[in-house]
Amino acid sequence: MTKSFSAILLMAVMNVGAPAWANGDAKAGQSLFQNRCVACHSAQPTRKPAPLLAEVYGRRAGTVPNYTYSAALRSASVIWTARTLDRWLIDPPTFIPGVNMQARVTGPQERQNIIAYLKP
């Protein structure tokens, strides 16, 4: 195998199954957020049972003022990025054991759309 072919093969293998975080549709994400998330969350200050998600992107997990987080989320050293939000939405208790959120978003494109909506 040539060196250049090996490099190309390695790059291809590394990208298999990698989410295309740049491919999210914010408008579709807003609709998904309104249909799936607003029962507990809001992107605007309101009284919801879960934390405010305005400006969540780039924020450290468990740090919204005036919200009582689980000990697991308070002590998590996670910054919300496309990658960490994707892992979180797949299965929150698997990503950070001991958290309260149980809702999952199993569809990769749905997750990417929600993340695109949450991005600044």
Side-chain angles (χ1 to χ4, degrees), residues 59-98:
R59 184 172 67 209
R60 185 172 183 261
T63 60
V64 170
N66 303 317
Y67 183 77
T68 305
Y69 288 93
S70 65
L73 203 49
R74 277 193 320 269
S75 64
S77 58
V78 171
I79 302 297
W80 295 123
T81 65
R83 183 177 306 268
T84 57
L85 285 166
D86 187 63
R87 289 180 60 204
W88 171 261
L89 291 170
I90 289 170
D91 188 357
T94 297
F95 182 51
I96 303 174

Side-chain angles (χ1 to χ4, degrees), residues 16-38:
V16 170
W21 289 304
N23 292 335
D25 178 333
K27 187 170 179 128
Q30 181 179 18
S31 178
L32 285 164
F33 185 87
Q34 290 171 343
N35 289 325
R36 297 189 64 168
C37 308
V38 296

Side-chain angles (χ1 to χ4, degrees), residues 89-113:
L89 291 170
I90 289 170
D91 188 357
T94 297
F95 182 51
I96 303 174
V99 298
N100 296 326
M101 184 168 149
Q102 300 297 312
R104 295 179 175 123
V105 181
T106 57
Q109 191 61 53
E110 288 181 336
R111 289 193 309 274
Q112 300 320 307
N113 292 344

